[in-house]
Amino acid sequence: MRVLLTGHQGYLGTVMAPVLAAAGHEVTGLDSGLFADCLLGPAPADPPGRRVDLRDVTAEDVAGVDAVIHLAALSNDPLGSLAPELTYDINHHASVRLARLARDAGVRRFLYASTCSVYGAAGGGELVGEDAPLRPVTPYAESKVRVEDDLHELADGDFTPVFMRNATAFGFSPRLRADIVLNNLVGHALLSGEVLVVSDGTPWRPLVHAADIARAFTAALTAPREAVHDRAFNVGSEVNNVTVAEIADQVAAAVPGSKVVITGETGADPRSYRVDFSRFRAAVPGFDCEWTVKQGALELADAYRGFGLTREDFEQRFTRLAVLRAASGAGTVDDTLRWRP
Ligand SMILES: NC(=O)c1ccc[n+]([C@@H]2O[C@H](COP(=O)([O-])OP(=O)(O)OC[C@H]3O[C@@H](n4cnc5c(N)ncnc54)[C@H](O)[C@@H]3O)[C@@H](O)[C@H]2O)c1
């Protein structure tokens, strides 16, 4: 298939592009490149792509494309809270516009990167399935719910939107992020000897490896239409339904000499949910996630050591909020996160 991959220079897109290519798809990218230089280790071989803002896409960007995988976004809860209106502009309005252009151009499938954050403070009691009430607690999660709603209205016999609600990602990507929980805790452990949990550690935070997300999207691309048409899927596996304290224990085991420090304060982030991932396995028989949290912690510790992660990179280069603040402070992007000429 000819696949347009938005966000191909992001954390997940950088891992997904080669997985799609290996499956035989012809990939082109589209990204404004906000984090293109946030590399740990050698630069990846990106697919051919256009450096363009999602808000400026035109019919030309989707002409001749069979499927769109839409990852580009201001992509986590703290970023969304920084500038809610901007989050709605980019994540909601521009995404729906892209989907409309795609549908008008005859694109048949549109895989949308949603998030389990849409479940908000569901708690750890029942496993949360896709039909559970959505309780977004941040502008980021709210923007994802709005896109799902609007894309649902666009679904028809020729246009198949699919809502991939990813658990929180972890694992190595050449374009690393240190602001997601496992990646963050492994970095802290290596750099300071402490696995620092700034909460009481009780919130549930289902995790999924970036490579498993890439495999899930690749499978959803060619799954029979009736299995995925206009449906939401949680992406992850029950074995990685873990509390933050359990994640910290796995990190301490992966980084010898480090110790867990749980500050015990009420965390700023009220999200907590345990998720049922069975619907996607049923829709795409044979699919399952391969990575556990323990394997991911070991992988990250090796990569951080091997590529010489520094404290400055950890706190600045790989923390999206810090990168955007620095770009804004230096005047390279304007208030709307567009590059200045
Ligand atoms: N990483 C996770 O834990 C996770 C979990 C659930 C869902 N998701 C979703 O998956 C997608 C990818 O996440 P990620 O972790 O790779 O995020 P990321 O921040 O690493 O990458 C997002 C990419 O989008 C691009 N982008 C941002 N604004 C843009 C704009 N206006 N125009 C064009 N490009 C723009 C950025 O340059 C970046 O390359 C996002 O939609 C995110 O919400 C991620």
Side-chain angles (χ1 to χ4, degrees), residues 189 195 247-260 294 297-298 305:
V195 187
I247 298 170
D249 286 341
Q250 294 292 350
V251 172
V255 181
S258 67
K259 66 170 196 304
V260 176
K294 179 179 180 180
L298 290 166
R305 279 194 209 99

Side-chain angles (χ1 to χ4, degrees), residues 41-238:
D46 288 337
R50 258 201 359 118
R51 179 158 287 200
V52 64
D53 196 289
L54 189 60
R55 292 163 286 185
D56 302 330
V57 293
T58 66
E60 231 174 275
D61 290 304
V62 284
V65 164
D66 298 310
V68 172
I69 297 182
H70 181 36
L71 306 181
L74 290 184
S75 139
N76 67 5
D77 295 272
L79 270 191
S81 304
L82 172 73
E85 281 317 310
L86 205 49
T87 297
Y88 292 124
D89 269 358
I90 295 172
N91 291 11
H92 177 211
H93 302 299
S95 294
V96 176
R97 195 169 147 272
L98 172 70
R100 284 216 177 86
L101 287 170
R103 191 178 75 153
D104 292 349
V107 172
R108 299 187 68 81
R109 196 163 289 196
F110 191 98
L111 305 187
Y112 176 58
S114 188
T115 168
C116 288
S117 283
V118 296
Y119 301 120
E126 299 279 299
L127 285 186
V128 177
E130 289 82 351
D131 297 329
L134 304 186
R135 299 192 182 97
V137 292
T138 58
Y140 165 74
E142 174 65 31
S143 75
K144 297 280 171 181
V145 173
R146 292 184 190 180
V147 176
E148 287 196 14
D149 286 347
D150 289 355
L151 263 53
H152 167 67
E153 297 298 322
L154 296 180
D156 65 16
D158 297 320
F159 184 71
T160 291
V162 187
F163 314 112
M164 305 288 280
R165 293 182 185 160
N166 304 292
T168 298
F170 67 88
F172 180 71
S173 162
R175 291 198 175 87
L176 190 76
R177 301 289 173 254
D179 50 15
I180 38 184
V181 60
L182 184 68
N183 298 14
N184 182 276
L185 292 180
V186 174
H188 258 293
L190 275 170
L191 294 167
S192 72
E194 287 189 346
V195 187
L196 184 66
V197 176
V198 192
S199 75
D200 63 3
T202 58
W204 290 91
R205 190 69 83 249
L207 301 186
V208 60
H209 195 285
D212 283 328
I213 294 179
R215 291 173 50 251
F217 276 67
T218 306
L221 204 55
T222 51
R225 177 186 176 279
E226 59 279 8
V228 296
H229 178 73
D230 195 21
R231 297 182 80 192
F233 295 102
N234 295 328
V235 178
S237 59
E238 287 77 1

Side-chain angles (χ1 to χ4, degrees), residues 21-47:
H25 302 296
E26 193 183 304
V27 182
T28 45
L30 187 156
D31 198 306
S32 63
L34 290 172
F35 310 104
D37 299 330
C38 300
L39 295 165
L40 184 66
D46 288 337

